[in-house]
Amino acid sequence: MLHLFSVPTISRRAGRVWYRNLVVFFRTWKVNFFPPFIDALLYLFAIGMGIGTYIKEVDDVPYINFIAPAILAISVMNSAFFECTYGSYVRMYYQKSFDAMIATPLSIEDVIAGELLWGATRSVMYVAIMLPVLVAFGVISLPLSLLALPLAFLGGLMFAGIGMCITAITPSIDSLNYPMFLFITPMMFFSGTFFPLALLPAAFQYIAVAVLPLTHIVAIMRMFTLPALSWTILLHIAWIAAVTMIFCVMSINLMKKRLIV
Amino acid sequence: MDEIIAAENLRKTYDNLTAVDGISFVVRKGEVFGFLGPNGAGKTTTMKMIACVSPRTSGVLRVFGQDPAQQPAEIKHRLGVVPQETNLDPDFTSFGNLVTYSGYFDIPAHTAEKKADELLEFVQLQEKRNVEVEKLSGGMKRRLILARALVNSPDLLILDEPTIGLDPQARHLIWEKLKTLQAQGNTIVLTTHYLDEAARLCDRLVIMDHGKILVEGSPSDLVKQHVGEEIVEVEKSAEVLACLTERSIPHEMTGDTVQIATDSSREIVKILLESCQPKKMLTRPATLEDVFLKLTGRTLRE
Ligand SMILES: Nc1ncnc2c1ncn2[C@@H]1O[C@H](COP(=O)(O)OP(=O)(O)OP(=O)(O)O)[C@@H](O)[C@H]1O
Ligand SMILES: [Mg+2]
């Protein structure tokens, strides 16, 4: 059990893996740049303006401004999680990219670290493309909302780590659907995203804060975009940092166990 | 330093299966060293341990005098690996594959690009430079993998079935390239199921089975030692068999022929013609294939 948490040695070469993914990303940039745009518009129109017509305000905030940070937070979650589950699994299992990489001076630790960093980078990119749309609609405030970018990196790294742990133990690509439907999708709704946590029964509120990672990203994001900073941001950051650390370390060790035989 | 690879009592077990069962060998600088053996003999497993991608279970292994368990990155810097399973990066072109792979060796981009073009020419794939690897034929992919193994100008090449699935032209091309590389002072370790290829390329080789090394030596020595100079093949018939058994001439049955290994075929042929009423008969030089089949048997491996 202990080896799951042994701290891996990672070299600068992890950056090479990250860079490889970046190059592929820009080779297919047309496919990669539009979803964030469409996504942002879709949420704003369907939920913000559709539902927003009936719900004018939540906690004295216009409904559309209330959900804008949630849209960003959900994107952080989805892009990193998707990248480090389906994306990494395809590279590992179908493309045998990791096998090719570890035949070079790269170690498996470097490879997985590079993949995790890349997952976090995808979150940052997604948010970076969404931000101007939200700014144009006047639903988030500047300049504090720019802090969404570093937050996207931290939150992205957390979901990259969680996703990579799942990738390391999944028996097949189809099994990746389970965490998607049992973990990611419910979290989209019950993390203080489209309605305040306070509306949930007290027990559920505790659960949301204790175990749902998205809750903490939404909370910080909302402090940035409204803006409404509070000292509790430190608690949220500490929670995310700890969970990120645990899952990233664990994912590297699990992957090593899976691939180095 | 003369010994590029030194293995002593090297073992590898997967769960409860022993894939490599205590093998010892030395590969010297500038040699082409072959690993032969039936499917599942443990060749790939051995290659992977040398290439520092699979940890050994026990025994001693040194590559360039270093321990793969201790200094994998240093060793891998000087290795070129052609894996048995093609694993080119489908997200890139031929050229892109070579350049991206060079990046993993910390080779600066402009050096890598120049080298990539040289290597594409070396394996005669210039025309496919900007083609996605998905669109290459199997043989072209194999050649590209060889080119990829050379991006870092390795001191030791590890080739796991480098010519699998190649047409005769491409195989000859690869043989020629390997000879060139050897002439440049490279050390090459390879596995193959083509015994003519092994006989042609290898200075020394081992034949493995069930994770153990059965024999080691130069191809011609092994043939002389284990089979002899020539093989006489006769069509199988009751008369021939009875006749050979009667004179206690050692022979082996394969399908509908009987094979007799000998150092003087004329004598055997004479006996056969005079007293055994052979139908069809032919004499041929003994090959590595005869050694291989003699040592590992003729039954198919599961
Ligand atoms: N990752 C693995 N997990 C469990 N067993 C394995 C693994 N890889 C190989 N083996 C087993 O180890 C043995 C040796 O396999 P290896 O791939 O080294 O054979 P080989 O000589 O390369 O065969 P081939 O000529 O078919 O390539 C086989 O019995 C194989 O089933
Ligand atoms: Mg093999």
Side-chain angles (χ1 to χ4, degrees), chain B residues 111-215:
Chain B
T111 320
E113 284 166 16
K114 195 161 151 273
K115 181 94 181 179
D117 275 320
E118 279 170 32
L119 288 171
L120 285 175
E121 201 173 320
F122 186 68
V123 296
Q124 298 182 10
L125 282 175
Q126 312 92 304
E127 279 167 28
K128 301 289 177 183
R129 183 184 189 273
N130 300 319
V131 174
E132 300 293 319
V133 296
E134 302 273 76
K135 295 194 182 115
L136 297 180
S137 77
M140 291 172 182
K141 284 185 188 153
R142 233 35 217 160
R143 269 142 69 194
L144 185 59
I145 289 212
L146 177 64
R148 191 184 68 176
L150 297 171
V151 296
N152 57 328
S153 313
D155 297 319
L156 171 61
L157 274 170
I158 298 172
L159 315 174
D160 201 350
E161 304 194 20
T163 58
I164 192 167
L166 294 185
D167 64 24
Q169 287 87 345
R171 281 177 74 201
H172 278 273
L173 174 76
I174 298 241
W175 292 345
E176 194 189 304
K177 298 303 171 194
L178 294 182
K179 286 289 185 197
T180 312
L181 290 166
Q182 187 188 17
Q184 290 166 0
N186 281 283
T187 308
I188 300 173
V189 172
L190 62 86
T191 77
T192 180
H193 287 295
Y194 301 113
L195 295 155
D196 57 325
E197 174 171 296
R200 189 185 289 248
L201 290 177
C202 297
D203 298 310
R204 284 192 307 136
L205 56 84
V206 295
I207 297 179
M208 286 182 76
D209 200 5
H210 302 297
K212 289 196 164 73
I213 290 179
L214 303 178
V215 288

Side-chain angles (χ1 to χ4, degrees), chain B:
Chain B
M1 193 203 54
D2 204 22
E3 286 183 3
I4 298 290
I5 308 172
E8 214 181 295
N9 209 10
L10 183 60
R11 279 172 55 85
K12 174 80 190 185
T13 54
Y14 295 109
D15 297 325
N16 46 21
L17 183 143
T18 304
V20 172
D21 195 2
I23 61 173
S24 304
F25 60 92
V26 168
V27 178
R28 298 191 194 91
K29 186 165 169 38
E31 243 185 343
V32 177
F33 192 92
F35 281 85
L36 310 185
N39 292 145
K43 304 179 295 294
T44 297
T45 306
T46 307
M47 297 300 116
K48 285 184 174 169
M49 286 191 282
I50 299 170
C52 314
V53 298
S54 180
R56 64 181 183 272
T57 306
S58 66
V60 181
L61 180 62
R62 294 287 178 272
V63 183
F64 305 122
Q66 292 168 312
D67 185 343
Q70 302 299 326
Q71 289 151 299
E74 287 82 350
I75 295 173
K76 289 192 287 183
H77 238 289
R78 302 172 62 187
L79 292 185
V81 179
V82 170
Q84 180 169 357
E85 226 180 317
T86 300
N87 58 13
L88 291 162
D89 196 328
D91 291 325
F92 290 95
T93 60
S94 306
F95 182 74
N97 258 277
L98 300 185
V99 172
T100 308
Y101 204 73
S102 304
Y104 304 149
F105 287 90
D106 291 325
I107 298 169
H110 62 277
T111 320
E113 284 166 16
K114 195 161 151 273
K115 181 94 181 179
D117 275 320
E118 279 170 32
L119 288 171
L120 285 175
E121 201 173 320
F122 186 68
V123 296
Q124 298 182 10
L125 282 175
Q126 312 92 304
E127 279 167 28
K128 301 289 177 183
R129 183 184 189 273
N130 300 319
V131 174
E132 300 293 319
V133 296
E134 302 273 76
K135 295 194 182 115
L136 297 180
S137 77
M140 291 172 182
K141 284 185 188 153
R142 233 35 217 160
R143 269 142 69 194
L144 185 59
I145 289 212
L146 177 64
R148 191 184 68 176
L150 297 171
V151 296
N152 57 328
S153 313
D155 297 319
L156 171 61
L157 274 170
I158 298 172
L159 315 174
D160 201 350
E161 304 194 20
T163 58
I164 192 167
L166 294 185
D167 64 24
Q169 287 87 345
R171 281 177 74 201
H172 278 273
L173 174 76
I174 298 241
W175 292 345
E176 194 189 304
K177 298 303 171 194
L178 294 182
K179 286 289 185 197
T180 312
L181 290 166
Q182 187 188 17
Q184 290 166 0
N186 281 283
T187 308
I188 300 173
V189 172
L190 62 86
T191 77
T192 180
H193 287 295
Y194 301 113
L195 295 155
D196 57 325
E197 174 171 296
R200 189 185 289 248
L201 290 177
C202 297
D203 298 310
R204 284 192 307 136
L205 56 84
V206 295
I207 297 179
M208 286 182 76
D209 200 5
H210 302 297
K212 289 196 164 73
I213 290 179
L214 303 178
V215 288
E216 180 194 314
S218 76
S220 56
D221 285 351
L222 287 175
V223 174
K224 278 199 201 92
Q225 217 173 314
H226 295 278
V227 186
E229 298 281 347
E230 288 170 307
I231 303 277
V232 179
E233 287 186 7
V234 205
E235 196 174 316
K236 189 154 82 184
S237 69
E239 292 95 332
V240 169
L241 284 177
C243 169
L244 288 171
T245 316
E246 192 183 311
R247 286 169 178 73
S248 49
I249 296 172
H251 57 276
E252 200 186 347
M253 273 167 299
T254 64
D256 53 6
T257 65
V258 182
Q259 299 201 349
I260 305 138
T262 171
D263 283 335
S264 76
S265 58
R266 295 180 59 182
E267 219 166 282
I268 297 285
V269 169
K270 193 158 160 252
I271 298 173
L272 283 166
L273 281 175
E274 280 171 4
S275 36
C276 304
Q277 294 108 37
K279 285 179 203 144
K280 277 187 210 144
M281 184 164 72
L282 72 86
T283 306
R284 59 174 178 81
T287 64
L288 204 50
E289 189 141 346
D290 299 308
V291 182
F292 188 92
L293 291 172
K294 182 176 171 197
L295 295 175
T296 60
R298 286 179 185 275
T299 46
L300 196 67
R301 298 309 156 94
E302 68 285 345

